[in-house]
Amino acid sequence: MTDSNSPDRLKLILVDDEAPARALLRELLEDRPDIEIVAECANGFEAVKAVADSDPDLLLLDILMPKLNGFEVLELLERDIPVIFITAFDEHALKAFDVHAVDYLLKPFTRDRLDEALARARGRIGSPGPSIRELAESTDPGSRTLERILVRDGSDVHVIPVDDVDYFEADDDRVIIHSGGESRSKLQRLARMEERLDRERFVRIHRSYILNVERLSKIELYAKDSRIAILSDGAKLPVSRSGYARLRDLL
Amino acid sequence: MPWIRYLTVWLPLAVLLAGVAALMGGSPWPEALALALPLATVFAFLCLGAGYSCRVLPLSGTDASRTVLSHAATAVVTAALWVGMARLLGHLLERIDLFPGVVLRVSQLSGSLMALGILLYLLAVSVHYLATAREESRQAEQRILQAELSARKAELRALKAQIDPHFLFNSLNSINALVGRDPEAARQVCAGLGDLMRLNLQNGRKRSIALREEIDMVRMYLELEKVRLGSRLQVEESVQPAALGCQVPPQVLQPLVENALKHGIGSLIDGGLVSLAAQVDGDRLTLTVTNPVDPAAPPRPGTGTGLRNLGQRLAALYGGESRLVTGIDGGTYSARAILPVEGGQDD
């Protein structure tokens, strides 16, 4: 055995909701002195927490899991960690893997195949790869219309149904999600958020705001060519000229 | 006898001919009939030639002018032949002294007979082409129906849901996981998978199986999934003994259970209880599977295909007599297949 504090040791987190699958990975990885399993997680929430707590070098990540799927876990990490996906069968994801992921393992896999993936991951560490957000966004199986928004707060994960959102506010390269008087920040651009929202329910009323039209109470003229939207909870948002046009088109 | 029916068709011609002979040729009615009946019969046989020439000259594939010319020529020859026979008949009747002056009257009629002969022959040709076209379109229709039927059969075969391929990959992975730590358990999974696949192949070929057999397969399936899901998967059965003998299409319960595991148990961190129930109520058999669900589960690919296939299969097999009902009540999802009772339910 090498010294467990060897700088070459890869800190790894393995995430799979099935106990036998985790046991197999553990068994195969235990023989490798260059790998240290810092956490084993059975679902996405645990994975997000474990990454925040133990700062791993590599993730072995199952895709179909309860609560959060593998893509959603990636989306929440907000930092680049090399990922090896593990899945039984998902044609949809495979295409994206070919483009972006460090590697992927198809269940069932052999020890050699796992070793190969780890070698590839080791080569990737430290070198700039595709951004993890790019990866998450390009492979998300739910990229049709967004129904729930995932926000991480430290090691806690919040799931906000889009129906509960009052409005989105741009904040540099982040989005602030306002819902029921609470606001949470997420690393994502407002334009990207807008692309994934249902256009019948959400309107970009301003460069910095997307409004849930069901929350709109009234629109007041503020100055020439400038209006403000008043929401049912009393909040006031600026409405640009083009935003007003879009709003009028929808209503 | 077909030839009698064929000749009956020509009876109106005999009447027409008699009318022509009596009214235009001035023959007394007995003479007109004596001329008309044999001539109509002869014409009936001459017109069989029309059928032959129609087959030789099908409407499609030959050029129209050639077809028209050939039929016109044949019509003229046939009509001339017919007129010749009429004259011969006239001479015969004159000879036996039955109708004096008949030869003259027939020869006066020759022009009209010639025209009538040509017209009728061409009419026979048209009727023949019409009949051929109708027969062809009937055959085409039959071919279409046949094609539709075989397409439907193919569809049914395709819908006869195989076990979900995900399950195969997952089971192989279970074996992969067990083979190092617990070889004996790995062997059991291999054997169980083999048994289930064999049974699935056997039963899949049948139109229907006893519910007892379907439940056996589902139990084997659940045993294998328990290896993977561990304590997350709990199962409860409530099957009426009377339901066990009912005949059901193979793979009727399996998709309901697969659905419960995939979208219910699989989406819950702690899993839960899957309940199977089978109940006979009069002439209806109800199969129910309920499971807990996470209402805020992440999106999963392939949602609902298994159940949709089952719904289509049931509709194809039983039409309106079957139903597939699904619904969520609180955190519990239920899928219910209702089908007509078939076969003995006595045990």
Side-chain angles (χ1 to χ4, degrees), chain A residues 17-21 23-24 27 43 45 64-69 72 88-90 107-110 140-142 144 148 159, chain B residues 165-166 169-170 172-174 176-181 227-230 232 265-269 294 296-301:
Chain A
D17 64 325
E18 290 163 16
L24 171 66
E27 186 188 326
N43 60 67
F45 285 148
L64 294 181
M65 292 184 297
K67 297 293 180 194
L68 300 176
N69 66 36
E72 290 172 329
F89 183 74
D90 191 355
K107 296 174 181 178
F109 51 84
T110 60
D140 189 342
R144 301 164 304 234
R148 40 190 233 139
V159 179
Chain B
H166 259 103
F169 292 119
N170 286 331
L172 285 172
N173 202 49
S174 296
N176 201 19
L178 288 169
V179 81
R181 283 179 297 128
V227 174
R228 184 169 71 90
L229 294 165
R232 284 167 73 196
I265 305 305
S267 71
L268 289 159
I269 290 178
D294 176 4
R300 247 168 202 264

Side-chain angles (χ1 to χ4, degrees), chain B residues 36-104:
Chain B
L37 280 173
L39 281 181
T41 313
V42 164
F43 197 78
F45 282 106
L46 287 176
C47 271
L48 289 176
Y52 173 75
S53 55
C54 283
R55 272 195 298 282
V56 174
L57 297 163
L59 274 187
S60 54
T62 38
D63 63 304
S65 54
R66 202 184 132 217
T67 308
V68 170
L69 272 177
S70 314
H71 283 310
T74 323
V76 170
V77 171
T78 308
L81 209 64
W82 192 42
V83 172
M85 287 190 180
R87 282 163 172 260
L88 199 69
L89 184 64
H91 278 289
L92 230 67
L93 290 176
E94 184 86 62
R95 183 75 57 85
I96 55 174
D97 242 353
L98 216 50
F99 308 108
V102 66
V103 174
L104 188 68

Side-chain angles (χ1 to χ4, degrees), chain A residues 66-67, chain B residues 231-236 256-276 289-297 327-335:
Chain A
K67 297 293 180 194
Chain B
S231 61
R232 284 167 73 196
L233 174 59
Q234 307 290 321
V235 182
E236 169 191 87
L256 303 182
V257 177
E258 262 170 24
N259 187 69
L261 263 55
K262 205 169 178 179
H263 302 290
I265 305 305
S267 71
L268 289 159
I269 290 178
D270 296 322
L273 179 69
V274 175
S275 310
L276 317 181
V289 175
T290 58
N291 57 273
V293 280
D294 176 4
I328 293 185
D329 182 13
T332 303
Y333 180 90
S334 69

Side-chain angles (χ1 to χ4, degrees), chain B residues 103-127:
Chain B
V103 174
L104 188 68
R105 284 187 289 275
V106 169
S107 70
Q108 277 167 350
L109 265 180
S110 290
S112 312
L113 279 182
M114 186 71 191
L116 193 65
I118 292 175
L119 266 175
L120 284 175
Y121 181 85
L122 291 177
L123 192 69
V125 167
S126 316
V127 167

